[in-house]
């Protein structure tokens, strides 16, 4: 008997932040988010594609990442189609980014990524995964 599937997609990602205004400005400036709505204790932001980003005020800092292989690992990843230009623009803005990592071969070339932390030190990966256009990854 086939399993029933009730879930269609990821709709929203929640991130903790200690200052909503500062975080909204950062995500708008750095990643190009548009503000759907903003309140003192929360905000909802969107990109042209993908889940909404819900920022929720936390009274104490609670940076999101986990430890794997003795290093901090992000829980959120963004894809860019203009990897090197985006990386250079973040460095030009004076933002702290890691070195670019390149690994694997993939069907459409190697994977590259780097990490950046938002104002509350939530660890974020930025990548250019070339295979995401393959049906087994995205369905299109």
């Amino acid at each position: 008997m086939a399993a029933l599937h009730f879930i269609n997609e990821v709709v929203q990602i929640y991130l903790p932040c200690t200052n909503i205004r500062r975080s909204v400005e950062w995500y708008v400036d750095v990643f190009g988010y548009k503000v759907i709505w903003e309140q003192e204790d929360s905000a909802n932001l969107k990109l042209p594609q993908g889940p909404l980003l819900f920022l929720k005020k936390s009274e104490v800092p609670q940076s999101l990442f986990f430890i794997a292989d003795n290093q901090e690992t992000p829980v959120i990843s963004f894809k860019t189609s203009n990897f090197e230009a985006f990386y250079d623009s973040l460095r030009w803005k004076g933002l702290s980014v890691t070195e670019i990592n390149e690994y694997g071969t993939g069907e459409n070339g190697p994977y590259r990524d780097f990490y950046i932390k938002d104002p509350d030190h939530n660890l974020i990966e930025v990548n250019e995964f070339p295979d995401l256009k393959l049906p087994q990854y995205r369905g299109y």
Side-chain angles (χ1 to χ4, degrees), residues 3 10 16 18 31 56 61 68 77 79 90 95 107 119 125 133 140:
V10 175
T18 55
F31 289 110
K56 182 67 177 168
S77 179
K79 180 184 182 307
L90 295 176
L95 297 172
E107 291 184 39
E125 176 192 58
K133 62 184 174 185
Y140 53 83

Side-chain angles (χ1 to χ4, degrees), residues 42-115:
S42 58
N44 215 334
L45 311 175
K46 70 184 249 28
L47 289 172
Q49 294 182 14
L52 302 173
L53 182 62
F54 189 90
L55 302 173
K56 182 67 177 168
K57 185 172 183 176
S58 61
E59 298 304 320
V60 295
Q62 300 178 57
S63 305
L64 288 185
F65 60 86
F66 63 96
I67 304 297
D69 299 324
N70 294 316
Q71 61 183 332
E72 293 180 354
T73 304
V75 296
I76 186 171
S77 179
F78 291 96
K79 180 184 182 307
T80 177
S81 297
N82 202 342
F83 185 81
E84 289 180 21
F86 184 57
Y87 182 80
D88 291 342
S89 75
L90 295 176
R91 293 185 67 187
W92 183 81
K93 288 180 180 183
L95 297 172
S96 178
V97 295
T98 64
E99 294 296 318
I100 293 173
N101 302 304
E102 185 172 308
Y103 50 93
T105 56
E107 291 184 39
N108 293 309
Y111 301 105
R112 295 192 305 169
D113 68 11
F114 63 87
Y115 295 166

Side-chain angles (χ1 to χ4, degrees), residues 12-50:
Q12 194 158 256
I13 296 170
Y14 288 76
L15 285 181
C17 60
T18 55
N19 182 311
I20 295 295
R21 177 90 299 259
R22 178 186 67 192
S23 292
V24 166
E25 288 174 357
W26 192 86
Y27 279 95
V28 167
D29 180 53
V30 173
F31 289 110
Y33 270 94
K34 303 292 183 214
V35 178
I36 297 173
W37 55 263
E38 178 182 348
Q39 299 174 342
E40 187 175 318
D41 67 342
S42 58
N44 215 334
L45 311 175
K46 70 184 249 28
L47 289 172
Q49 294 182 14

